[in-house]
Amino acid sequence: MNRNWYALALLFLLAVGLFSAGRFVDTSICQIDESLEQAYACANAGDFAEARQLYRKTAAQAREYSPVWILLVRRNLIDQLNQTLATIPAYAIPENQSDLAVETARARTQALQIRQSFFSWF
């Protein structure tokens, strides 16, 4: 009888862990996406210095989340996102607005792929 309780407790702990991991992935990806959207809005408004600062802040956030993401999803997706986020601030100048739009869209898509990589199993 005790074995059943141990098995039930283990299943419960695994379910709680999986739920917590899902919440973390979802919350962190939403934060990255919102930060990218806000930075791009600043660039469209002509405030390129603020946009560069927001892009750098977003890249720092992604680097901060990366060690946990690596435990949950494929590493190459995380590396691609971090590389894209590292290059975006250089595009935040008036002459490169079209490149900035493309790179921002790429980063948002890569963030979505990280989320989908975790939740695709369910």
Side-chain angles (χ1 to χ4, degrees):
M1 188 70 172
N2 280 340
R3 286 186 192 175
N4 292 340
W5 286 109
Y6 291 137
L8 186 62
L10 182 61
L11 283 174
F12 178 74
L13 288 175
L14 288 172
V16 167
L18 187 61
F19 177 77
S20 299
R23 292 279 299 168
F24 175 77
V25 168
D26 193 45
T27 303
S28 60
I29 293 299
C30 285
Q31 287 176 353
I32 296 292
D33 190 54
E34 289 172 4
S35 296
L36 286 170
E37 186 176 346
Q38 184 181 15
Y40 186 66
C42 283
N44 277 340
D47 191 0
F48 292 101
E50 179 70 19
R52 278 191 297 275
Q53 183 179 2
L54 287 172
Y55 280 122
R56 287 186 187 109
K57 181 181 172 188
T58 304
Q61 275 182 320
R63 283 191 306 271
E64 182 181 315
Y65 295 143
S66 291
V68 179
W69 286 343
I70 287 174
L71 298 173
L72 304 171
V73 297
R74 295 188 333 232
R75 183 183 177 118
N76 66 336
L77 294 174
I78 298 162
D79 290 341
Q80 288 173 356
L81 176 64
N82 285 333
Q83 288 173 356
T84 302
L85 290 175
T87 62
I88 289 180
Y91 292 106
I93 56 175
E95 296 82 29
N96 282 340
Q97 286 187 334
S98 61
D99 292 337
L100 181 63
V102 169
E103 292 300 318
T104 302
R106 178 179 293 154
R108 292 180 78 185
T109 301
Q110 288 169 343
L112 181 63
Q113 287 174 345
I114 289 173
R115 185 184 183 285
Q116 288 173 341
S117 178
F118 180 80
F119 289 106
S120 68
W121 293 94
F122 306 108

